[in-house]
Amino acid sequence: MPPGIAAPDFALPSTLDRPLGPGDGRGRPLILVFYPADWSPVCTDQLTLYQEVMPEFEKHDAALFGISVDGRWCHLAFAKDRNLRFPLLADFEPKGEVARAYGVYRAEDGTSERALFVIDPAGVVSWSYVSPTEVNPGADGILRALEDLAAKGVAR
Amino acid sequence: MRATRWEARLVLPVSEERDHVQGPGDAPVTLVEYGDYECPYCGEAYPIVKQIQERMEEQLRFVFRNFPISTAHPHAEYAAEAAEAAAAQDRFWEMHDHLYEHQQRLRVDDLRSYAQAIELDLDLFDKELAEHVHADRVHEDFLSGVRSGVNGTPTFFINGMRHDDPYDLETLLVALEAAAELGKGGADHGGS
């Protein structure tokens, strides 16, 4: 999904008590983190890192949602176990529909790619990155994208 | 899907004034570790780094920076601040060794006993820990790691480039010796 495209809309069950979608980040930058599965080693390190870097994301007023094909109850247990305080969204039924809409579904194993999207406050994709599934893409790219957004905001 | 690619390089160059450094400033190779005192993988890497230092002697400069992941390791931040408090009294490496040699015991009482063992001024140590005097420094290390592509711990940089291969003794040694050969040719070796 190239930058400049409107982020596909959705509403998914989440670890909060309500469905969440891109509209819930409207007015602020939104970081969408697609990951293959709760509990798998790389996902855990990646999401733990994002929890740790959260104060930096929040300096840009950004929200962060994690998304995988796991169900809501699995997400709740995972988030509790790993002290993750950002919402996890369940792309569970129909399975992977949102991942497909973002072009990051992996039909061969029924999960999603490890993919990052930064969506600007108007709901337009401003940056995206797909990492090899086994590689933790880190937080630097997200921070750069948020800084680019902030710079554009000033120029506007 | 467009893929953004960037090289993982150390964005905060090694500074003899700022950093905790072992080995000569003009060594042909500099190894930087971003580590967490409560991380078991860092605990495994600790004796490996020691062996490498013994083998490479004056060929190697070693730098340690903090990357505490409190989300996973509740004692890591305080332990990092304790190491920095020891650094303020010129005892960083003694504390560093104590912490990695006693990774299972990092409660505040434990940190105090290590401070006592290395003969720190305990009143000053207690005060600095309680007031989080060194929290900014630890956070600066952490952020410099995030911006350099540290995505977990331990992460090593050899002459400023992230080492993405395993960090067993043999692999690290081969990489460091290769970098040392290049470094002798006069390449920059402080990172960035």
Side-chain angles (χ1 to χ4, degrees), chain B residues 36-40 73-80 82-83 95-114 129:
Chain B
D36 168 322
Y37 286 112
E38 201 174 355
C39 159
H73 303 135
H75 305 97
E77 167 68 25
Y78 231 42
M95 182 60 96
H96 174 88
D97 290 351
H98 265 276
L99 294 171
Y100 274 129
E101 286 161 18
H102 303 86
Q103 265 201 309
Q104 306 304 321
R105 294 191 298 279
L106 297 177
R107 293 171 312 151
V108 176
D109 286 355
D110 301 317
L111 301 178
R112 282 198 92 226
S113 75
Y114 308 148
L129 266 198

PDB file of all heavy atoms in Angstrom, chain B residues 36-40 73-80 82-83 95-114 129:
ATOM      1  N   ASP B  36      20.628  -4.947  29.118  1.00  0.00           N
ATOM      2  CA  ASP B  36      19.636  -4.823  30.185  1.00  0.00           C
ATOM      3  C   ASP B  36      20.143  -5.759  31.281  1.00  0.00           C
ATOM      4  O   ASP B  36      20.440  -6.928  31.005  1.00  0.00           O
ATOM      5  CB  ASP B  36      18.291  -5.258  29.579  1.00  0.00           C
ATOM      6  CG  ASP B  36      17.166  -5.489  30.575  1.00  0.00           C
ATOM      7  OD1 ASP B  36      17.420  -6.013  31.671  1.00  0.00           O
ATOM      8  OD2 ASP B  36      16.005  -5.189  30.229  1.00  0.00           O
ATOM      9  N   TYR B  37      20.260  -5.257  32.511  1.00  0.00           N
ATOM     10  CA  TYR B  37      20.872  -6.081  33.560  1.00  0.00           C
ATOM     11  C   TYR B  37      20.008  -7.264  33.975  1.00  0.00           C
ATOM     12  O   TYR B  37      20.501  -8.211  34.574  1.00  0.00           O
ATOM     13  CB  TYR B  37      21.230  -5.217  34.777  1.00  0.00           C
ATOM     14  CG  TYR B  37      22.439  -4.347  34.510  1.00  0.00           C
ATOM     15  CD1 TYR B  37      22.328  -2.970  34.420  1.00  0.00           C
ATOM     16  CD2 TYR B  37      23.690  -4.921  34.297  1.00  0.00           C
ATOM     17  CE1 TYR B  37      23.435  -2.175  34.145  1.00  0.00           C
ATOM     18  CE2 TYR B  37      24.802  -4.152  34.011  1.00  0.00           C
ATOM     19  CZ  TYR B  37      24.665  -2.778  33.940  1.00  0.00           C
ATOM     20  OH  TYR B  37      25.772  -2.011  33.648  1.00  0.00           O
ATOM     21  N   GLU B  38      18.728  -7.227  33.656  1.00  0.00           N
ATOM     22  CA  GLU B  38      17.860  -8.339  34.066  1.00  0.00           C
ATOM     23  C   GLU B  38      17.585  -9.303  32.910  1.00  0.00           C
ATOM     24  O   GLU B  38      16.880 -10.296  33.080  1.00  0.00           O
ATOM     25  CB  GLU B  38      16.539  -7.771  34.625  1.00  0.00           C
ATOM     26  CG  GLU B  38      15.804  -8.749  35.525  1.00  0.00           C
ATOM     27  CD  GLU B  38      14.578  -8.121  36.184  1.00  0.00           C
ATOM     28  OE1 GLU B  38      14.345  -6.908  36.019  1.00  0.00           O
ATOM     29  OE2 GLU B  38      13.845  -8.858  36.869  1.00  0.00           O
ATOM     30  N   CYS B  39      18.121  -9.013  31.735  1.00  0.00           N
ATOM     31  CA  CYS B  39      17.846  -9.826  30.548  1.00  0.00           C
ATOM     32  C   CYS B  39      18.736 -11.065  30.553  1.00  0.00           C
ATOM     33  O   CYS B  39      19.957 -10.953  30.604  1.00  0.00           O
ATOM     34  CB  CYS B  39      18.112  -8.967  29.309  1.00  0.00           C
ATOM     35  SG  CYS B  39      18.415  -9.898  27.801  1.00  0.00           S
ATOM     36  N   PRO B  40      18.124 -12.260  30.496  1.00  0.00           N
ATOM     37  CA  PRO B  40      18.939 -13.476  30.570  1.00  0.00           C
ATOM     38  C   PRO B  40      19.899 -13.642  29.387  1.00  0.00           C
ATOM     39  O   PRO B  40      20.983 -14.202  29.550  1.00  0.00           O
ATOM     40  CB  PRO B  40      17.906 -14.609  30.593  1.00  0.00           C
ATOM     41  CG  PRO B  40      16.606 -14.005  30.194  1.00  0.00           C
ATOM     42  CD  PRO B  40      16.685 -12.541  30.488  1.00  0.00           C
ATOM     43  N   HIS B  73      11.134  -6.519  32.336  1.00  0.00           N
ATOM     44  CA  HIS B  73      12.077  -6.723  33.443  1.00  0.00           C
ATOM     45  C   HIS B  73      11.923  -5.610  34.478  1.00  0.00           C
ATOM     46  O   HIS B  73      12.529  -4.546  34.356  1.00  0.00           O
ATOM     47  CB  HIS B  73      13.510  -6.740  32.894  1.00  0.00           C
ATOM     48  CG  HIS B  73      13.730  -7.775  31.848  1.00  0.00           C
ATOM     49  ND1 HIS B  73      14.408  -7.530  30.681  1.00  0.00           N
ATOM     50  CD2 HIS B  73      13.335  -9.066  31.787  1.00  0.00           C
ATOM     51  CE1 HIS B  73      14.426  -8.626  29.944  1.00  0.00           C
ATOM     52  NE2 HIS B  73      13.777  -9.582  30.592  1.00  0.00           N
ATOM     53  N   PRO B  74      11.134  -5.884  35.501  1.00  0.00           N
ATOM     54  CA  PRO B  74      10.781  -4.819  36.458  1.00  0.00           C
ATOM     55  C   PRO B  74      11.966  -4.223  37.219  1.00  0.00           C
ATOM     56  O   PRO B  74      11.867  -3.108  37.713  1.00  0.00           O
ATOM     57  CB  PRO B  74       9.797  -5.511  37.405  1.00  0.00           C
ATOM     58  CG  PRO B  74       9.976  -6.975  37.183  1.00  0.00           C
ATOM     59  CD  PRO B  74      10.441  -7.144  35.783  1.00  0.00           C
ATOM     60  N   HIS B  75      13.089  -4.961  37.318  1.00  0.00           N
ATOM     61  CA  HIS B  75      14.223  -4.428  38.088  1.00  0.00           C
ATOM     62  C   HIS B  75      15.288  -3.773  37.215  1.00  0.00           C
ATOM     63  O   HIS B  75      16.289  -3.268  37.718  1.00  0.00           O
ATOM     64  CB  HIS B  75      14.888  -5.551  38.890  1.00  0.00           C
ATOM     65  CG  HIS B  75      13.946  -6.289  39.785  1.00  0.00           C
ATOM     66  ND1 HIS B  75      13.352  -7.484  39.424  1.00  0.00           N
ATOM     67  CD2 HIS B  75      13.462  -5.987  41.013  1.00  0.00           C
ATOM     68  CE1 HIS B  75      12.558  -7.882  40.398  1.00  0.00           C
ATOM     69  NE2 HIS B  75      12.596  -6.995  41.367  1.00  0.00           N
ATOM     70  N   ALA B  76      15.086  -3.819  35.897  1.00  0.00           N
ATOM     71  CA  ALA B  76      16.166  -3.433  34.986  1.00  0.00           C
ATOM     72  C   ALA B  76      16.487  -1.945  35.065  1.00  0.00           C
ATOM     73  O   ALA B  76      17.660  -1.551  35.036  1.00  0.00           O
ATOM     74  CB  ALA B  76      15.793  -3.813  33.558  1.00  0.00           C
ATOM     75  N   GLU B  77      15.468  -1.119  35.178  1.00  0.00           N
ATOM     76  CA  GLU B  77      15.697   0.323  35.186  1.00  0.00           C
ATOM     77  C   GLU B  77      16.500   0.732  36.429  1.00  0.00           C
ATOM     78  O   GLU B  77      17.485   1.461  36.336  1.00  0.00           O
ATOM     79  CB  GLU B  77      14.346   1.062  35.157  1.00  0.00           C
ATOM     80  CG  GLU B  77      14.413   2.546  35.478  1.00  0.00           C
ATOM     81  CD  GLU B  77      15.128   3.387  34.414  1.00  0.00           C
ATOM     82  OE1 GLU B  77      15.159   2.960  33.239  1.00  0.00           O
ATOM     83  OE2 GLU B  77      15.673   4.446  34.771  1.00  0.00           O
ATOM     84  N   TYR B  78      16.086   0.224  37.569  1.00  0.00           N
ATOM     85  CA  TYR B  78      16.776   0.574  38.814  1.00  0.00           C
ATOM     86  C   TYR B  78      18.214   0.069  38.798  1.00  0.00           C
ATOM     87  O   TYR B  78      19.132   0.744  39.269  1.00  0.00           O
ATOM     88  CB  TYR B  78      16.008  -0.026  39.995  1.00  0.00           C
ATOM     89  CG  TYR B  78      15.691   0.970  41.078  1.00  0.00           C
ATOM     90  CD1 TYR B  78      15.244   2.250  40.769  1.00  0.00           C
ATOM     91  CD2 TYR B  78      15.850   0.634  42.420  1.00  0.00           C
ATOM     92  CE1 TYR B  78      14.957   3.161  41.763  1.00  0.00           C
ATOM     93  CE2 TYR B  78      15.562   1.539  43.429  1.00  0.00           C
ATOM     94  CZ  TYR B  78      15.113   2.802  43.097  1.00  0.00           C
ATOM     95  OH  TYR B  78      14.832   3.711  44.075  1.00  0.00           O
ATOM     96  N   ALA B  79      18.394  -1.126  38.246  1.00  0.00           N
ATOM     97  CA  ALA B  79      19.752  -1.685  38.176  1.00  0.00           C
ATOM     98  C   ALA B  79      20.627  -0.793  37.294  1.00  0.00           C
ATOM     99  O   ALA B  79      21.795  -0.529  37.619  1.00  0.00           O
ATOM    100  CB  ALA B  79      19.706  -3.115  37.631  1.00  0.00           C
ATOM    101  N   ALA B  80      20.064  -0.320  36.189  1.00  0.00           N
ATOM    102  CA  ALA B  80      20.828   0.555  35.294  1.00  0.00           C
ATOM    103  C   ALA B  80      21.191   1.855  36.011  1.00  0.00           C
ATOM    104  O   ALA B  80      22.322   2.350  35.915  1.00  0.00           O
ATOM    105  CB  ALA B  80      20.011   0.849  34.031  1.00  0.00           C
ATOM    106  N   ALA B  82      21.553   2.167  39.159  1.00  0.00           N
ATOM    107  CA  ALA B  82      22.571   1.829  40.166  1.00  0.00           C
ATOM    108  C   ALA B  82      23.959   1.790  39.529  1.00  0.00           C
ATOM    109  O   ALA B  82      24.946   2.256  40.123  1.00  0.00           O
ATOM    110  CB  ALA B  82      22.246   0.485  40.817  1.00  0.00           C
ATOM    111  N   ALA B  83      24.037   1.245  38.320  1.00  0.00           N
ATOM    112  CA  ALA B  83      25.329   1.206  37.625  1.00  0.00           C
ATOM    113  C   ALA B  83      25.814   2.621  37.337  1.00  0.00           C
ATOM    114  O   ALA B  83      27.002   2.932  37.473  1.00  0.00           O
ATOM    115  CB  ALA B  83      25.201   0.398  36.332  1.00  0.00           C
ATOM    116  N   MET B  95      30.449  -2.355  39.432  1.00  0.00           N
ATOM    117  CA  MET B  95      29.012  -2.564  39.625  1.00  0.00           C
ATOM    118  C   MET B  95      28.441  -3.383  38.479  1.00  0.00           C
ATOM    119  O   MET B  95      27.641  -4.302  38.689  1.00  0.00           O
ATOM    120  CB  MET B  95      28.296  -1.216  39.746  1.00  0.00           C
ATOM    121  CG  MET B  95      26.795  -1.334  40.003  1.00  0.00           C
ATOM    122  SD  MET B  95      26.388  -2.218  41.542  1.00  0.00           S
ATOM    123  CE  MET B  95      26.178  -0.841  42.675  1.00  0.00           C
ATOM    124  N   HIS B  96      28.830  -3.063  37.268  1.00  0.00           N
ATOM    125  CA  HIS B  96      28.393  -3.802  36.068  1.00  0.00           C
ATOM    126  C   HIS B  96      28.638  -5.308  36.261  1.00  0.00           C
ATOM    127  O   HIS B  96      27.747  -6.134  36.035  1.00  0.00           O
ATOM    128  CB  HIS B  96      29.192  -3.251  34.869  1.00  0.00           C
ATOM    129  CG  HIS B  96      29.004  -3.960  33.578  1.00  0.00           C
ATOM    130  ND1 HIS B  96      28.007  -3.624  32.688  1.00  0.00           N
ATOM    131  CD2 HIS B  96      29.696  -4.978  33.004  1.00  0.00           C
ATOM    132  CE1 HIS B  96      28.092  -4.409  31.621  1.00  0.00           C
ATOM    133  NE2 HIS B  96      29.109  -5.241  31.785  1.00  0.00           N
ATOM    134  N   ASP B  97      29.825  -5.644  36.720  1.00  0.00           N
ATOM    135  CA  ASP B  97      30.154  -7.061  36.920  1.00  0.00           C
ATOM    136  C   ASP B  97      29.281  -7.677  38.013  1.00  0.00           C
ATOM    137  O   ASP B  97      28.759  -8.782  37.852  1.00  0.00           O
ATOM    138  CB  ASP B  97      31.637  -7.221  37.280  1.00  0.00           C
ATOM    139  CG  ASP B  97      32.552  -6.904  36.094  1.00  0.00           C
ATOM    140  OD1 ASP B  97      32.037  -6.738  34.970  1.00  0.00           O
ATOM    141  OD2 ASP B  97      33.784  -6.796  36.296  1.00  0.00           O
ATOM    142  N   HIS B  98      29.115  -6.957  39.106  1.00  0.00           N
ATOM    143  CA  HIS B  98      28.273  -7.475  40.195  1.00  0.00           C
ATOM    144  C   HIS B  98      26.854  -7.742  39.699  1.00  0.00           C
ATOM    145  O   HIS B  98      26.252  -8.757  40.041  1.00  0.00           O
ATOM    146  CB  HIS B  98      28.210  -6.468  41.354  1.00  0.00           C
ATOM    147  CG  HIS B  98      29.210  -6.745  42.423  1.00  0.00           C
ATOM    148  ND1 HIS B  98      28.979  -7.641  43.434  1.00  0.00           N
ATOM    149  CD2 HIS B  98      30.447  -6.264  42.625  1.00  0.00           C
ATOM    150  CE1 HIS B  98      30.039  -7.694  44.219  1.00  0.00           C
ATOM    151  NE2 HIS B  98      30.939  -6.864  43.745  1.00  0.00           N
ATOM    152  N   LEU B  99      26.330  -6.824  38.907  1.00  0.00           N
ATOM    153  CA  LEU B  99      24.944  -6.957  38.445  1.00  0.00           C
ATOM    154  C   LEU B  99      24.801  -8.182  37.543  1.00  0.00           C
ATOM    155  O   LEU B  99      23.871  -8.975  37.701  1.00  0.00           O
ATOM    156  CB  LEU B  99      24.507  -5.680  37.713  1.00  0.00           C
ATOM    157  CG  LEU B  99      24.416  -4.432  38.602  1.00  0.00           C
ATOM    158  CD1 LEU B  99      24.183  -3.178  37.753  1.00  0.00           C
ATOM    159  CD2 LEU B  99      23.302  -4.568  39.640  1.00  0.00           C
ATOM    160  N   TYR B 100      25.719  -8.346  36.602  1.00  0.00           N
ATOM    161  CA  TYR B 100      25.597  -9.507  35.715  1.00  0.00           C
ATOM    162  C   TYR B 100      25.940 -10.820  36.407  1.00  0.00           C
ATOM    163  O   TYR B 100      25.474 -11.883  36.006  1.00  0.00           O
ATOM    164  CB  TYR B 100      26.433  -9.318  34.448  1.00  0.00           C
ATOM    165  CG  TYR B 100      25.644  -8.567  33.385  1.00  0.00           C
ATOM    166  CD1 TYR B 100      26.162  -7.464  32.744  1.00  0.00           C
ATOM    167  CD2 TYR B 100      24.346  -8.965  33.056  1.00  0.00           C
ATOM    168  CE1 TYR B 100      25.420  -6.767  31.802  1.00  0.00           C
ATOM    169  CE2 TYR B 100      23.603  -8.271  32.127  1.00  0.00           C
ATOM    170  CZ  TYR B 100      24.147  -7.180  31.490  1.00  0.00           C
ATOM    171  OH  TYR B 100      23.398  -6.496  30.567  1.00  0.00           O
ATOM    172  N   GLU B 101      26.732 -10.744  37.458  1.00  0.00           N
ATOM    173  CA  GLU B 101      27.059 -11.986  38.167  1.00  0.00           C
ATOM    174  C   GLU B 101      25.972 -12.340  39.188  1.00  0.00           C
ATOM    175  O   GLU B 101      26.016 -13.419  39.783  1.00  0.00           O
ATOM    176  CB  GLU B 101      28.450 -11.861  38.809  1.00  0.00           C
ATOM    177  CG  GLU B 101      29.545 -11.963  37.734  1.00  0.00           C
ATOM    178  CD  GLU B 101      30.901 -11.404  38.165  1.00  0.00           C
ATOM    179  OE1 GLU B 101      31.121 -11.240  39.384  1.00  0.00           O
ATOM    180  OE2 GLU B 101      31.720 -11.119  37.268  1.00  0.00           O
ATOM    181  N   HIS B 102      25.036 -11.438  39.406  1.00  0.00           N
ATOM    182  CA  HIS B 102      23.935 -11.712  40.359  1.00  0.00           C
ATOM    183  C   HIS B 102      22.605 -11.287  39.753  1.00  0.00           C
ATOM    184  O   HIS B 102      21.809 -10.597  40.387  1.00  0.00           O
ATOM    185  CB  HIS B 102      24.156 -10.951  41.667  1.00  0.00           C
ATOM    186  CG  HIS B 102      25.455 -11.251  42.339  1.00  0.00           C
ATOM    187  ND1 HIS B 102      26.616 -10.587  42.028  1.00  0.00           N
ATOM    188  CD2 HIS B 102      25.784 -12.169  43.285  1.00  0.00           C
ATOM    189  CE1 HIS B 102      27.609 -11.072  42.771  1.00  0.00           C
ATOM    190  NE2 HIS B 102      27.127 -12.040  43.539  1.00  0.00           N
ATOM    191  N   GLN B 103      22.375 -11.717  38.511  1.00  0.00           N
ATOM    192  CA  GLN B 103      21.192 -11.257  37.774  1.00  0.00           C
ATOM    193  C   GLN B 103      19.867 -11.613  38.420  1.00  0.00           C
ATOM    194  O   GLN B 103      18.858 -10.963  38.172  1.00  0.00           O
ATOM    195  CB  GLN B 103      21.200 -11.909  36.389  1.00  0.00           C
ATOM    196  CG  GLN B 103      21.815 -11.074  35.321  1.00  0.00           C
ATOM    197  CD  GLN B 103      21.328 -11.533  33.976  1.00  0.00           C
ATOM    198  OE1 GLN B 103      21.390 -12.719  33.664  1.00  0.00           O
ATOM    199  NE2 GLN B 103      20.830 -10.616  33.178  1.00  0.00           N
ATOM    200  N   GLN B 104      19.866 -12.657  39.232  1.00  0.00           N
ATOM    201  CA  GLN B 104      18.608 -13.096  39.849  1.00  0.00           C
ATOM    202  C   GLN B 104      18.272 -12.247  41.067  1.00  0.00           C
ATOM    203  O   GLN B 104      17.191 -12.374  41.624  1.00  0.00           O
ATOM    204  CB  GLN B 104      18.703 -14.567  40.280  1.00  0.00           C
ATOM    205  CG  GLN B 104      19.134 -15.516  39.181  1.00  0.00           C
ATOM    206  CD  GLN B 104      18.233 -15.423  37.971  1.00  0.00           C
ATOM    207  OE1 GLN B 104      17.022 -15.286  38.099  1.00  0.00           O
ATOM    208  NE2 GLN B 104      18.835 -15.468  36.778  1.00  0.00           N
ATOM    209  N   ARG B 105      19.225 -11.436  41.506  1.00  0.00           N
ATOM    210  CA  ARG B 105      18.990 -10.657  42.728  1.00  0.00           C
ATOM    211  C   ARG B 105      19.255  -9.185  42.461  1.00  0.00           C
ATOM    212  O   ARG B 105      20.360  -8.688  42.654  1.00  0.00           O
ATOM    213  CB  ARG B 105      19.887 -11.179  43.863  1.00  0.00           C
ATOM    214  CG  ARG B 105      19.494 -12.604  44.280  1.00  0.00           C
ATOM    215  CD  ARG B 105      20.170 -13.043  45.558  1.00  0.00           C
ATOM    216  NE  ARG B 105      21.624 -13.070  45.441  1.00  0.00           N
ATOM    217  CZ  ARG B 105      22.307 -14.064  44.880  1.00  0.00           C
ATOM    218  NH1 ARG B 105      21.678 -15.123  44.407  1.00  0.00           N
ATOM    219  NH2 ARG B 105      23.612 -14.018  44.801  1.00  0.00           N
ATOM    220  N   LEU B 106      18.203  -8.499  42.023  1.00  0.00           N
ATOM    221  CA  LEU B 106      18.356  -7.093  41.638  1.00  0.00           C
ATOM    222  C   LEU B 106      17.349  -6.196  42.370  1.00  0.00           C
ATOM    223  O   LEU B 106      16.968  -5.150  41.866  1.00  0.00           O
ATOM    224  CB  LEU B 106      18.199  -6.934  40.112  1.00  0.00           C
ATOM    225  CG  LEU B 106      19.241  -7.650  39.244  1.00  0.00           C
ATOM    226  CD1 LEU B 106      18.914  -7.476  37.766  1.00  0.00           C
ATOM    227  CD2 LEU B 106      20.655  -7.143  39.524  1.00  0.00           C
ATOM    228  N   ARG B 107      16.919  -6.642  43.556  1.00  0.00           N
ATOM    229  CA  ARG B 107      16.053  -5.756  44.335  1.00  0.00           C
ATOM    230  C   ARG B 107      16.895  -4.636  44.937  1.00  0.00           C
ATOM    231  O   ARG B 107      18.124  -4.720  44.968  1.00  0.00           O
ATOM    232  CB  ARG B 107      15.339  -6.547  45.432  1.00  0.00           C
ATOM    233  CG  ARG B 107      14.314  -7.567  44.891  1.00  0.00           C
ATOM    234  CD  ARG B 107      13.835  -8.432  46.020  1.00  0.00           C
ATOM    235  NE  ARG B 107      14.995  -8.910  46.776  1.00  0.00           N
ATOM    236  CZ  ARG B 107      15.006  -9.202  48.062  1.00  0.00           C
ATOM    237  NH1 ARG B 107      13.914  -9.100  48.769  1.00  0.00           N
ATOM    238  NH2 ARG B 107      16.116  -9.607  48.653  1.00  0.00           N
ATOM    239  N   VAL B 108      16.227  -3.619  45.449  1.00  0.00           N
ATOM    240  CA  VAL B 108      16.972  -2.459  45.947  1.00  0.00           C
ATOM    241  C   VAL B 108      17.959  -2.869  47.041  1.00  0.00           C
ATOM    242  O   VAL B 108      19.107  -2.404  47.062  1.00  0.00           O
ATOM    243  CB  VAL B 108      16.002  -1.373  46.463  1.00  0.00           C
ATOM    244  CG1 VAL B 108      16.779  -0.226  47.072  1.00  0.00           C
ATOM    245  CG2 VAL B 108      15.143  -0.869  45.319  1.00  0.00           C
ATOM    246  N   ASP B 109      17.543  -3.776  47.934  1.00  0.00           N
ATOM    247  CA  ASP B 109      18.450  -4.244  48.994  1.00  0.00           C
ATOM    248  C   ASP B 109      19.695  -4.886  48.394  1.00  0.00           C
ATOM    249  O   ASP B 109      20.803  -4.726  48.903  1.00  0.00           O
ATOM    250  CB  ASP B 109      17.750  -5.294  49.864  1.00  0.00           C
ATOM    251  CG  ASP B 109      16.726  -4.655  50.777  1.00  0.00           C
ATOM    252  OD1 ASP B 109      16.658  -3.407  50.783  1.00  0.00           O
ATOM    253  OD2 ASP B 109      15.999  -5.402  51.459  1.00  0.00           O
ATOM    254  N   ASP B 110      19.475  -5.640  47.315  1.00  0.00           N
ATOM    255  CA  ASP B 110      20.604  -6.297  46.653  1.00  0.00           C
ATOM    256  C   ASP B 110      21.559  -5.256  46.068  1.00  0.00           C
ATOM    257  O   ASP B 110      22.778  -5.350  46.226  1.00  0.00           O
ATOM    258  CB  ASP B 110      20.106  -7.219  45.539  1.00  0.00           C
ATOM    259  CG  ASP B 110      19.159  -8.296  46.058  1.00  0.00           C
ATOM    260  OD1 ASP B 110      19.449  -8.869  47.123  1.00  0.00           O
ATOM    261  OD2 ASP B 110      18.132  -8.549  45.401  1.00  0.00           O
ATOM    262  N   LEU B 111      20.967  -4.258  45.398  1.00  0.00           N
ATOM    263  CA  LEU B 111      21.795  -3.214  44.779  1.00  0.00           C
ATOM    264  C   LEU B 111      22.645  -2.516  45.844  1.00  0.00           C
ATOM    265  O   LEU B 111      23.826  -2.235  45.645  1.00  0.00           O
ATOM    266  CB  LEU B 111      20.912  -2.189  44.053  1.00  0.00           C
ATOM    267  CG  LEU B 111      20.008  -2.739  42.932  1.00  0.00           C
ATOM    268  CD1 LEU B 111      19.152  -1.617  42.345  1.00  0.00           C
ATOM    269  CD2 LEU B 111      20.830  -3.409  41.843  1.00  0.00           C
ATOM    270  N   ARG B 112      22.033  -2.281  47.006  1.00  0.00           N
ATOM    271  CA  ARG B 112      22.767  -1.640  48.112  1.00  0.00           C
ATOM    272  C   ARG B 112      23.933  -2.506  48.575  1.00  0.00           C
ATOM    273  O   ARG B 112      25.013  -2.006  48.870  1.00  0.00           O
ATOM    274  CB  ARG B 112      21.837  -1.415  49.314  1.00  0.00           C
ATOM    275  CG  ARG B 112      20.923  -0.239  49.184  1.00  0.00           C
ATOM    276  CD  ARG B 112      20.387   0.165  50.542  1.00  0.00           C
ATOM    277  NE  ARG B 112      21.203   1.183  51.179  1.00  0.00           N
ATOM    278  CZ  ARG B 112      21.583   1.144  52.448  1.00  0.00           C
ATOM    279  NH1 ARG B 112      21.245   0.147  53.223  1.00  0.00           N
ATOM    280  NH2 ARG B 112      22.306   2.125  52.945  1.00  0.00           N
ATOM    281  N   SER B 113      23.677  -3.815  48.639  1.00  0.00           N
ATOM    282  CA  SER B 113      24.760  -4.677  49.124  1.00  0.00           C
ATOM    283  C   SER B 113      25.918  -4.708  48.121  1.00  0.00           C
ATOM    284  O   SER B 113      27.078  -4.782  48.508  1.00  0.00           O
ATOM    285  CB  SER B 113      24.243  -6.090  49.437  1.00  0.00           C
ATOM    286  OG  SER B 113      24.008  -6.803  48.248  1.00  0.00           O
ATOM    287  N   TYR B 114      25.614  -4.599  46.831  1.00  0.00           N
ATOM    288  CA  TYR B 114      26.701  -4.549  45.837  1.00  0.00           C
ATOM    289  C   TYR B 114      27.446  -3.220  45.952  1.00  0.00           C
ATOM    290  O   TYR B 114      28.674  -3.175  45.824  1.00  0.00           O
ATOM    291  CB  TYR B 114      26.166  -4.728  44.410  1.00  0.00           C
ATOM    292  CG  TYR B 114      25.285  -5.954  44.238  1.00  0.00           C
ATOM    293  CD1 TYR B 114      24.239  -5.966  43.338  1.00  0.00           C
ATOM    294  CD2 TYR B 114      25.503  -7.095  45.006  1.00  0.00           C
ATOM    295  CE1 TYR B 114      23.419  -7.077  43.202  1.00  0.00           C
ATOM    296  CE2 TYR B 114      24.687  -8.212  44.882  1.00  0.00           C
ATOM    297  CZ  TYR B 114      23.639  -8.183  43.983  1.00  0.00           C
ATOM    298  OH  TYR B 114      22.824  -9.276  43.862  1.00  0.00           O
ATOM    299  N   LEU B 129      19.898   7.114  43.919  1.00  0.00           N
ATOM    300  CA  LEU B 129      18.900   6.140  43.456  1.00  0.00           C
ATOM    301  C   LEU B 129      17.490   6.623  43.776  1.00  0.00           C
ATOM    302  O   LEU B 129      16.599   6.586  42.931  1.00  0.00           O
ATOM    303  CB  LEU B 129      19.121   4.791  44.128  1.00  0.00           C
ATOM    304  CG  LEU B 129      19.961   3.738  43.405  1.00  0.00           C
ATOM    305  CD1 LEU B 129      19.691   2.375  44.010  1.00  0.00           C
ATOM    306  CD2 LEU B 129      19.689   3.706  41.914  1.00  0.00           C
TER     307      LEU B 129
END
